[in-house]
Amino acid sequence: MLFLNSVRVAPGVRSVLAVACGLTLSGAGMAQVKEARESVEPVVVTATRQDTRVSEVLSDVTVIDSQEIRQAGPTTTLAALLGRQPGIEFTQNGGPGGSSSVFIRGSNSNHVLLLVDGVRVGSVTTGSPTWEYMPLEQIDHIEIVRGPASSLYGSDAMGGVIQIFTKRGEGPFQPFVEAGYGTYNTSALSTGFSGSQDGLRYGFQVSNKHSDSFSAITNPTNPAYNPDKDGYRTTASSGNLSYSPAKGHEFGVNFMYADGWSRFDSGGPFSTPASDDYKQKETISSVNLYSRNQLTDIWTSTVRIGQSSDDSRNLDNGVRSSFFRSTQTQYQWQSDFKLPVGTALLGVERLEQRVDSDTGFAVNKRGINSILAGWSGHVEEHTLQVNVRQDNNSQFGDKATGMLAYGYQLASNWRAGLSWGSAFKAPTFNDLYYPADAYGDVSNPNLKPETAVNREASLHYEATGLDASITYYQNDVKNLIQWAPIDPTFVTTYGYTPSNVASATLTGWTLASSGKMAEYKVSGSLDLQDPKDDVLDKTLIYRARKVAKFAVSRDIGNMNVGGEVQAYGRRFVDTANTQALAGYSVFNLTASYRVTDGLSVFARANNVFDKKYVLVKDFATPGASLFVGVRYVMK
């Protein structure tokens, strides 16, 4: 009954799609609308590795722009912001500093590749990014590509790719400052500057956030239960510097850095006491140097050298109990060629992954050499994209992946698409080499890479100020790695070990729309998915089969007001699907007021009806909360 109430937003989504389907244009009007749309629509990079207009991309793509990021507010986590987008779900263990997971189209959380300015970021031990420490206030915009993309990026991109672009300088020197305070004694402060002049671009920003938060675990029967407040603090910075000595040539450097800690509940009857003070300290960094040069009228060369690190330390009563540091070093050279029809790319890459830890891994590094090629272009109403890639992994040998996508322009505002793509994911260092611990957990060095084959079909409507789409997909995942009890009865051991015992079929429909209706800016999506474990014939854990999202905002003079709702069906917490979390819906409100041209005040109220809901079994979620702040940008 809860879910039936929660999906009342779906008619709103359908109404936007219905309006889109009812709009028609003809003749010169169509051409004018198309030209106007192309002049304002965003250009994306992630779906093709080349600058491409959104309306020409054949993948399922979403762009989160800087306005939406600002509206989310400084206390919103990156995982929560991503969770408001079509086809994406997230979980969080307690408050904003708690461990988070992101799922795209029902795939596993470690099937999502995160890039920051083109550089891989994440842990090579867990296989996932540390979403909770990524600084949202340092981000200019985000591109999301749903569906396998290993033919462009190699291992890990089985469910999709998320690329963060940090802020860049543009225009005259412009400093800014933002500060705010809210529920749970939450405070946020950020400041910085940016600009450009005579071929030089520059930008730098720094931020700090702190919150007392609340107790991570609320179930008193959980062995790790401790009714203390599990707060967090993060400090982050990012910057860029680039120089263009002549048209078509640019040399630059980008960096991002985040450092913080969060308290969490742990321990229990078989380990240290639950009453201990447990704290996770995390440092994430990413830096890359690049040179982009147009060498001829048809040839542009881009060379990039980047490195990221994910440094995680657990403390028990102030004493370090574990340490894991992941380092990924990346070398790339990509050449883009303008051809008489379309654009081609050729690239070579070298990726080096390393683990440093006080836990003794039998193997702690590996290297991957890759070559890739692709072509995309238009011939009258037809659009085609082809990509192939060969990865040579020092542990697993060669792996080839590919993608073939076709689009047809049915009319000026209507286009249809079909695509096929393959992907793979190499086992993590934890999967392969984690040594046996006191509980009997042990890795499996004989694991094979996971593989996937995805097929999808889509229909898009695109007009000035209004976009709508419907996408069907089927992603077949083989050799799925799952950690399972060595002894299912727990008589001889409590230990777990991974194996390639599973396969999964991820199918679903995504309906999405965004644009303007009268004076209102609206967006909505409806996901109907069936992420199924083929061996057990059960739904994969922590994935809802029905998800609806809707947002609306309006400018009223100098004020902007808006509302959001996300509604989820029930989710299972065990592979046998015997334990379920109830469906839920959460409603948020936003408001901002422009006092002067550069000064504004803003407020965000989350979970305004104080809904009691659960993202992860036994873990708490925020109640009704309010955050208010002021933002100044020198004009």
Side-chain angles (χ1 to χ4, degrees):
M1 183 62 68
L2 174 61
F3 181 71
L4 293 177
N5 292 332
S6 69
V7 295
R8 288 175 182 170
V9 297
V13 178
R14 290 195 296 267
S15 67
V16 176
L17 292 170
V19 170
C21 295
L23 295 174
T24 58
L25 296 169
S26 61
M30 285 185 176
Q32 292 171 359
V33 168
K34 183 177 181 181
E35 182 178 348
R37 185 178 71 242
E38 290 179 348
S39 67
V40 298
E41 69 176 333
V43 172
V44 297
V45 178
T46 312
T48 60
R49 295 183 63 133
Q50 298 171 322
D51 292 343
T52 309
R53 290 193 182 98
V54 167
S55 63
E56 297 174 349
V57 170
L58 298 175
S59 302
D60 189 5
V61 173
T62 294
V63 178
I64 306 176
D65 61 22
S66 57
Q67 181 181 355
E68 186 173 354
I69 293 173
R70 286 196 305 271
Q71 192 175 49
T75 58
T76 298
T77 65
L78 175 60
L81 177 63
L82 294 171
R84 297 170 190 165
Q85 312 307 315
I88 299 182
E89 300 171 82
F90 83 102
T91 62
Q92 187 169 285
N93 293 2
S99 177
S100 302
S101 298
V102 172
F103 308 92
I104 297 182
R105 288 184 174 178
S107 62
N108 284 351
S109 59
N110 60 4
H111 291 166
V112 180
L113 174 63
L114 176 64
L115 305 173
V116 176
D117 294 323
V119 176
R120 286 171 170 257
V121 174
S123 167
V124 298
T125 56
T126 66
S128 298
T130 309
W131 301 101
E132 57 271 20
Y133 288 96
M134 299 300 298
L136 197 63
E137 59 278 0
Q138 310 288 328
I139 299 173
D140 179 75
H141 67 282
I142 303 169
E143 294 179 6
I144 302 169
V145 178
R146 287 174 284 271
S150 286
S151 59
L152 289 166
Y153 299 103
S155 177
D156 303 341
M158 290 182 63
V161 179
I162 296 171
Q163 180 157 201
I164 289 171
F165 295 87
T166 56
K167 295 178 180 179
R168 297 190 65 193
E170 187 68 50
F173 174 77
Q174 188 176 70
F176 75 91
V177 63
E178 179 178 293
Y181 181 82
T183 309
Y184 304 118
N185 193 28
T186 301
S187 62
L189 175 66
S190 62
T191 186
F193 60 86
S194 63
S196 62
Q197 184 177 5
D198 300 329
L200 183 69
R201 288 175 177 260
Y202 56 88
F204 176 78
Q205 40 274 325
V206 62
S207 62
N208 178 271
K209 291 187 291 188
H210 168 268
S211 179
D212 291 342
S213 196
F214 45 85
S215 181
I217 294 179
T218 56
N219 181 5
T221 65
N222 189 301
Y225 174 72
N226 182 4
D228 63 340
K229 291 183 178 180
D230 294 308
Y232 70 93
R233 181 187 294 275
T234 60
T235 300
S237 62
S238 64
N240 68 87
L241 180 66
S242 66
Y243 180 64
S244 297
K247 184 179 180 181
H249 297 271
E250 183 180 29
F251 306 89
V253 58
N254 300 310
F255 84 90
M256 185 197 70
Y257 177 89
D259 180 82
W261 56 261
S262 62
R263 286 188 165 88
F264 63 96
D265 291 335
S266 185
F270 303 106
S271 61
T272 53
S275 59
D276 281 6
D277 179 24
Y278 297 98
K279 182 184 289 187
Q280 180 191 35
K281 299 189 70 175
E282 191 80 23
T283 302
I284 299 172
S285 66
S286 170
V287 61
N288 78 89
L289 300 166
Y290 66 90
S291 173
R292 186 176 297 110
N293 306 93
Q294 185 175 338
L295 302 179
T296 70
D297 290 341
I298 66 168
W299 178 20
T300 299
S301 168
T302 303
V303 176
R304 187 185 306 275
I305 301 174
Q307 185 177 83
S308 69
S309 66
D310 186 312
D311 187 336
S312 179
R313 291 141 288 164
N314 285 342
L315 305 178
D316 181 358
N317 289 333
V319 179
R320 192 180 78 184
S321 58
S322 65
F323 162 68
F324 297 90
R325 178 181 175 86
S326 298
T327 303
Q328 300 191 75
T329 305
Q330 203 167 324
Y331 308 89
Q332 300 176 339
W333 180 24
Q334 179 173 316
S335 292
D336 301 294
F337 301 94
K338 293 182 179 179
L339 304 178
V341 178
T343 305
L345 72 84
L346 293 172
V348 294
E349 293 184 359
R350 166 73 178 174
L351 175 64
E352 298 171 354
Q353 298 180 324
R354 180 183 176 92
V355 179
D356 293 292
S357 175
D358 50 9
T359 299
F361 287 85
V363 176
N364 72 335
K365 60 183 178 180
R366 64 187 174 196
I368 302 97
N369 296 317
S370 309
I371 57 173
L372 63 148
W375 176 87
S376 59
H378 308 270
V379 179
E380 296 180 343
E381 293 85 7
H382 308 275
T383 303
L384 191 67
Q385 179 181 343
V386 182
N387 293 99
V388 293
R389 181 178 175 118
Q390 181 84 6
D391 291 279
N392 180 268
N393 188 301
S394 60
Q395 295 172 314
F396 300 102
D398 292 329
K399 185 63 181 178
T401 52
M403 173 188 175
L404 177 62
Y406 169 74
Y408 182 75
Q409 197 73 34
L410 301 169
S412 177
N413 302 106
W414 291 92
R415 63 184 175 96
L418 297 170
S419 70
W420 174 94
S422 60
F424 79 103
K425 176 177 176 58
T428 69
F429 281 85
N430 279 358
D431 292 333
L432 293 166
Y433 306 120
Y434 193 86
D437 59 21
Y439 299 100
D441 298 328
V442 63
S443 56
N444 181 356
N446 299 314
L447 291 171
K448 301 176 182 178
E450 300 170 276
T451 61
V453 175
N454 182 72
R455 295 164 290 275
E456 64 185 77
S458 61
L459 179 65
H460 298 261
Y461 178 87
E462 294 153 338
T464 302
L466 183 62
D467 297 314
S469 65
I470 180 170
T471 304
Y472 173 79
Y473 58 88
Q474 178 175 320
N475 192 3
D476 296 322
V477 182
K478 304 299 181 185
N479 287 326
L480 193 69
I481 296 173
Q482 285 189 339
W483 284 73
I486 299 173
D487 175 12
T489 64
F490 291 111
V491 172
T492 60
T493 178
Y494 288 95
Y496 282 68
T497 190
S499 59
N500 293 109
V501 298
S503 64
T505 302
L506 316 175
T507 59
W509 295 85
T510 296
L511 291 81
S513 183
S514 63
K516 293 201 70 174
M517 298 179 65
E519 300 299 320
Y520 297 90
K521 181 180 179 181
V522 298
S523 63
S525 65
L526 176 64
D527 284 286
L528 305 173
Q529 61 181 14
D530 185 16
K532 182 177 292 186
D533 183 323
D534 294 333
V535 176
L536 300 177
D537 193 28
K538 301 293 183 180
T539 301
L540 296 176
I541 62 172
Y542 287 112
R543 268 144 283 193
R545 297 188 63 178
K546 299 177 182 178
V547 182
K549 303 162 187 176
F550 186 74
V552 60
S553 64
R554 180 182 179 179
D555 290 323
I556 305 173
N558 289 342
M559 178 176 287
N560 177 274
V561 293
E564 309 163 350
V565 63
Q566 293 98 42
Y568 294 81
R570 67 173 183 170
R571 292 154 298 130
F572 294 102
V573 300
D574 64 324
T575 57
N577 289 181
T578 60
Q579 304 176 48
L581 300 177
Y584 69 94
S585 58
V586 176
F587 186 63
N588 308 320
L589 292 174
T590 63
S592 63
Y593 181 77
R594 190 174 67 253
V595 181
T596 65
D597 193 29
L599 178 65
S600 61
V601 293
F602 61 90
R604 183 176 185 89
N606 286 333
N607 192 11
V608 294
F609 297 123
D610 200 25
K611 184 71 176 181
K612 305 301 180 185
Y613 65 100
V614 179
L615 293 177
V616 179
K617 182 183 177 183
D618 291 348
F619 282 87
T621 53
S625 59
L626 176 67
F627 187 87
V628 297
V630 58
R631 181 184 296 120
Y632 176 73
V633 180
M634 191 179 79
K635 300 294 184 180

